[in-house]
Amino acid sequence: MTLAQRALERLQAWPDLMAGPASCGTGRALRCVRDEIVHFHSTRDVDLHLTRRAIQRFHYDLAGSSAIHLVPGSCWVTVHLDCEADIELLLSLVSIALKAHQTRPPGEEQGPAGCNFHRVTVLPRDAVAGA
């Protein structure tokens, strides 16, 4: 079982999330009542829909993680799963995303529509470390 499959399996057990196809057309999605929260695009790459406010609040922490990739202006972050700790990071961020979407005022602008699929190229950590 891949890391993404393990993460998807764990998240599907959460009562606030429902599974279905990703609106971008690639992979599976988990959504809450209001919004899609997570897109599983491959065996290792997951896009997570945070609000603009949540990204601003945690920007330095997100930018400091080798597992997280930010796209300027996007309300989605890409999480690259390389190890079990990355799954735990993803689960924590999904919890933050759920809370952020539940408390987001209706109509609050979310930035450009769509996840980061095809907007992020993720290199393996060992390739980045050796550069």
Side-chain angles (χ1 to χ4, degrees):
M1 183 180 289
T2 68
L3 292 168
Q5 288 171 325
R6 286 202 298 262
L8 176 60
E9 189 174 276
R10 287 179 66 183
L11 288 168
Q12 282 180 320
W14 290 20
D16 292 338
L17 294 173
M18 298 161 284
S23 61
C24 66
T26 302
R28 299 290 295 161
L30 294 174
R31 63 173 297 115
C32 65
V33 173
R34 292 179 79 176
D35 301 292
E36 285 186 342
I37 301 294
V38 188
H39 286 184
F40 289 85
H41 293 302
S42 71
T43 60
R44 293 186 180 269
D45 296 319
V46 179
D47 279 343
L48 175 66
H49 188 187
L50 291 173
T51 62
R52 183 180 311 281
R53 197 174 306 171
I55 289 174
Q56 288 172 345
R57 182 174 180 200
F58 297 105
H59 183 267
Y60 292 109
D61 296 312
L62 296 170
S65 171
S66 61
I68 305 290
H69 301 277
L70 302 171
V71 174
S74 177
C75 290
W76 293 77
V77 298
T78 300
V79 181
H80 185 71
L81 305 174
D82 269 338
C83 60
E84 287 294 325
D86 294 338
I87 292 175
E88 297 304 321
L89 173 62
L90 175 65
L91 297 178
S92 296
L93 291 173
V94 169
S95 180
I96 290 168
L98 281 169
K99 174 85 173 174
H101 282 274
Q102 290 168 352
T103 60
R104 178 176 54 87
E108 181 181 272
E109 184 183 343
Q110 287 298 296
C115 65
N116 293 340
F117 190 61
H118 292 304
R119 293 195 280 176
V120 171
T121 300
V122 180
L123 299 173
R125 285 192 191 130
D126 53 352
V128 173

